[in-house]
Amino acid sequence: MNKSHIYALLLLLAAPLFSNAQNTTKIAPKREFRGVWIASVTNIDWPSKPGLSADQQKQEYIGILEQHKKNGINAIMLQIRPTADALYAKSRELWSHWLTGTQGIAPAPGYDPLEFAIKEAHNRGMELHAWFNPYRATMTAGQLVSPDHITKKRPELFYTYGGQKLFDPGLPEVQAYIVQVILDVVKEYDIDGVHFDDYFYPYRIEGQRINDAATFAKYPNGFTKIDDWRRNNVNMLIKTVNDSVHYYKKYVKFGVSPFGIWRNIREDTLGSKTNGLSNYGELYADFRKWIKEGWVDYINPQIYFTFGRSAAPFNVLLDWWGNNTYGRHLYIGQAAYLVRVPTKVDPTWMKFDEIPNQIRYMRDNNRVQGSIFFSSKSLSTNARSLADSLRNNFYKYPALPPQMPWLDDVIPNVPQNLTADALEDGVNLKWEKPLKATDGETASGYVIYRFEAGEKINVLNPKNIVNISFRDFTFYIDTNAEKGKRYNYLVTALDRLKNESEPSGPVGVQAK
């Protein structure tokens, strides 16, 4: 449950109240998860092609972030392990060929793409969630892999399905290996979250079968039916990842983005009134159990359907999810890649207002805390109209990610000694870090608020936010202050889970 705090301050000769309540409003929520997937596999989003120089990759990434910042995005889901390889230096796996052009070849010395990506995202007030594909090891049968790739060195850990090499989830060694790969990143990098997509056991292909009967016979774990056993294998991974991530860093969020249907009501009375592919039956992913057991901090179903899709209407699925969150966060995966793309299956995607209407519907459901768009590139190509709607309407004002009180509900202390100096380059703000809170945290970021003289101070309204940073810098230059106008500034502290302190100040100044 979000906490509310009402504080009174004496401002100049008046004494208006200002409020720091953390709840949201339907019109312009101050807290909302606004994410985008940046896919590296097959160079969908970034890098745009393999083998770019470090400087070219950095320039591309900064350009992507700048565009998303304008669109109001506050979370990046960056794919860092697409095929049992790495877009980061501190890895037990090989460098990805999607990055350098050749698997196992390192980029420029001193360049760590993930470290760079985190820093640049945090500078812009964006979380970075490290996106792992846990089981996929190759994309195609013809993919060239290094002789040092794990599929070559440990072939017994994999089965082949549809030409892909996939880790066998029933092997205890595979379970342990994947968890350690993830913990390498959790321990070594300043990420905000660990993120899985929808690929667990593979999507069904006609004529193909999963070759894991020998593993089932060797490690049955008390199960007599292979379908139940497969679901349990995935369950064990999810629970172990959740426990392990929070053991090392309690503030790192763990979330999964499954296909939008758990089970259809014809298969289970607890399922949705839909008629489509079932995660439970075909991908062996029982994500309703994960939420109910508290094994994930957020669930991010890919509801890539329109309101008019008869087999799986958007509103029907969203309502089902809203009724099955069990207190965890629900972010909806939205199909930006389908906007204005002609399709016989569902021509509704040709309408400009489909996803805007989906956002309105989500905001009318107080059990939905935000959404994530697939994928990054789409917001500057086919879905440019959606990007315009985000920038000018839905995401016009900044937003903080929603709080997760089950991980941390301790509010930081107030930043100290805020000063504001009007100089030629803008209003220069400086302050000091807050004292440690009861959990030992000071501040991992700050929010700057600006109000015109005489305007009631209300930190609930996101229109008053001029900057959010997830870095611990204790200064900011407001270059957008109008010369000759008098303003009042406040600053609040954020901890790692984006709990927000009471405001400091206010401090008045006339811009030069």
Side-chain angles (χ1 to χ4, degrees):
M1 180 180 296
N2 291 331
K3 294 190 171 182
S4 295
H5 310 275
I6 303 221
Y7 312 102
L9 277 182
L10 189 60
L11 171 62
L12 300 178
L13 298 177
L17 291 178
F18 64 80
S19 170
N20 190 27
Q22 299 303 316
N23 62 320
T24 60
T25 63
K26 294 188 191 311
I27 298 171
K30 182 183 169 181
R31 285 195 181 267
E32 186 174 51
F33 198 89
R34 302 171 177 177
V36 66
W37 280 287
I38 298 181
S40 59
V41 69
T42 68
N43 299 107
I44 291 173
D45 293 310
W46 180 80
S48 61
K49 60 183 179 180
L52 295 177
S53 70
D55 284 343
Q56 288 173 319
Q57 289 181 16
K58 289 178 179 179
Q59 289 169 9
E60 276 193 357
Y61 182 76
I62 288 173
I64 290 169
L65 290 191
E66 283 296 308
Q67 199 62 29
H68 289 319
K69 184 178 180 182
K70 291 177 184 176
N71 293 339
I73 297 296
N74 64 13
I76 300 298
M77 330 307 281
L78 179 64
Q79 189 175 34
I80 65 166
R81 183 186 184 257
T83 47
D85 50 11
L87 275 77
Y88 54 99
K90 298 167 187 174
S91 172
R92 64 188 63 208
E93 296 181 313
L94 301 177
W95 283 102
S96 176
H97 76 280
W98 311 115
L99 184 75
T100 63
T102 304
Q103 194 172 66
I105 299 297
Y111 169 49
D112 186 331
L114 179 54
E115 195 171 78
F116 175 79
I118 294 167
K119 177 183 174 183
E120 294 299 327
H122 286 177
N123 283 346
R124 292 165 176 81
M126 298 175 178
E127 291 191 340
L128 190 136
H129 293 230
W131 167 15
F132 297 82
N133 187 286
Y135 294 134
R136 185 174 61 210
T138 64
M139 276 295 289
T140 63
Q143 181 178 327
L144 294 176
V145 297
S146 164
D148 293 323
H149 191 245
I150 191 169
T151 54
K152 297 291 188 182
K153 301 189 93 170
R154 299 294 308 278
E156 71 278 9
L157 301 181
F158 301 88
Y159 62 83
T160 302
Y161 188 93
Q164 291 184 320
K165 292 286 184 182
L166 302 168
F167 281 95
D168 185 344
L171 294 170
E173 189 174 350
V174 164
Q175 298 266 350
Y177 176 81
I178 292 171
V179 172
Q180 289 306 314
V181 165
I182 292 164
L183 289 181
D184 289 341
V185 175
V186 171
K187 293 175 185 178
E188 297 292 341
Y189 292 91
D190 193 26
I191 61 171
D192 299 286
V194 168
H195 183 82
F196 285 176
D197 55 25
D198 55 317
Y199 292 101
F200 293 100
Y201 280 88
Y203 282 87
R204 188 170 296 175
I205 299 174
E206 190 68 31
Q208 297 283 314
R209 67 181 181 87
I210 299 172
N211 187 20
D212 61 353
T215 308
F216 177 41
K218 188 174 182 179
Y219 304 104
N221 290 329
F223 288 90
T224 57
K225 295 181 179 178
I226 198 168
D227 286 6
D228 294 336
W229 172 76
R230 287 172 179 164
R231 271 185 292 274
N232 185 63
N233 292 333
V234 181
N235 288 346
M236 287 193 297
L237 177 70
I238 297 297
K239 184 181 187 306
T240 304
V241 169
N242 179 71
D243 292 347
S244 302
V245 166
H246 292 142
Y247 175 82
Y248 285 99
K249 289 183 180 177
K250 186 178 179 181
Y251 60 80
V252 173
K253 305 168 185 179
F254 177 44
V256 181
S257 177
F259 176 76
I261 300 172
W262 172 64
R263 301 191 81 183
N264 301 289
I265 198 166
R266 60 181 166 77
E267 301 164 323
D268 189 320
T269 56
L270 296 174
S272 53
K273 293 180 180 179
T274 51
N275 185 26
L277 179 145
S278 157
N279 272 276
Y280 184 94
E282 299 195 38
L283 304 179
Y284 306 102
D286 188 4
F287 49 72
R288 185 176 179 274
K289 180 180 179 68
W290 309 342
I291 311 167
K292 192 173 182 180
E293 297 292 338
W295 295 345
V296 292
D297 297 309
Y298 66 86
I299 198 77
N300 172 213
Q302 298 172 23
I303 308 184
Y304 294 167
F305 308 109
T306 65
F307 287 97
R309 185 70 175 270
S310 59
F314 178 86
N315 54 308
V316 170
L317 274 170
L318 185 140
D319 290 346
W320 183 89
W321 279 100
N323 291 328
N324 287 273
T325 60
Y326 294 97
R328 291 302 194 244
H329 283 183
L330 172 59
Y331 313 145
I332 304 302
Q334 294 189 271
Y337 75 101
L338 291 176
V339 172
R340 304 293 293 171
V341 174
T343 169
K344 292 180 180 178
V345 176
D346 194 345
T348 309
W349 286 115
M350 292 301 291
K351 296 181 178 179
F352 285 107
D353 62 352
E354 177 61 30
I355 288 188
N357 285 336
Q358 291 182 6
I359 295 172
R360 293 183 184 100
Y361 194 83
M362 286 190 299
R363 285 185 174 175
D364 283 338
N365 187 322
N366 61 13
R367 293 177 181 173
V368 181
Q369 287 83 21
S371 60
I372 306 176
F373 298 100
F374 187 86
S375 71
S376 174
K377 182 171 64 177
S378 301
L379 291 175
S380 58
T381 54
N382 59 291
R384 286 192 303 273
S385 62
L386 171 60
D388 289 342
S389 293
L390 297 180
R391 184 183 308 121
N392 299 318
N393 184 359
F394 298 105
Y395 295 177
K396 182 177 181 179
Y397 301 118
L400 291 169
Q403 295 163 288
M404 291 185 170
W406 59 90
L407 294 180
D408 178 13
D409 62 355
V410 178
I411 304 299
N413 284 318
V414 184
Q416 302 184 87
N417 301 323
L418 173 65
T419 62
D421 294 310
L423 303 175
E424 291 303 320
D425 62 345
V427 176
N428 285 240
L429 304 171
K430 294 180 182 178
W431 60 92
E432 296 173 7
K433 287 185 178 182
L435 300 174
K436 287 184 179 180
T438 55
D439 60 357
E441 288 193 73
T442 53
S444 300
Y446 297 94
V447 185
I448 309 295
Y449 298 85
R450 184 184 69 199
F451 302 85
E452 294 187 10
E455 183 181 3
K456 183 177 180 179
I457 290 181
N458 174 16
V459 296
L460 274 179
N461 194 331
K463 80 178 182 64
N464 298 307
I465 296 173
V466 293
N467 189 63
I468 298 173
S469 170
F470 297 155
R471 302 290 299 279
D472 60 358
F473 299 145
T474 55
F475 60 88
Y476 177 72
I477 302 175
D478 182 8
T479 58
N480 295 315
E482 190 176 331
K483 291 184 178 181
K485 268 196 173 182
R486 187 166 184 83
Y487 296 101
N488 296 292
Y489 290 89
L490 308 116
V491 60
T492 60
L494 301 171
D495 65 14
R496 281 309 305 257
L497 276 159
K498 313 308 180 291
N499 292 308
E500 186 180 21
S501 74
E502 301 178 27
S504 70
V507 174
V509 66
Q510 184 169 326
K512 286 187 178 180

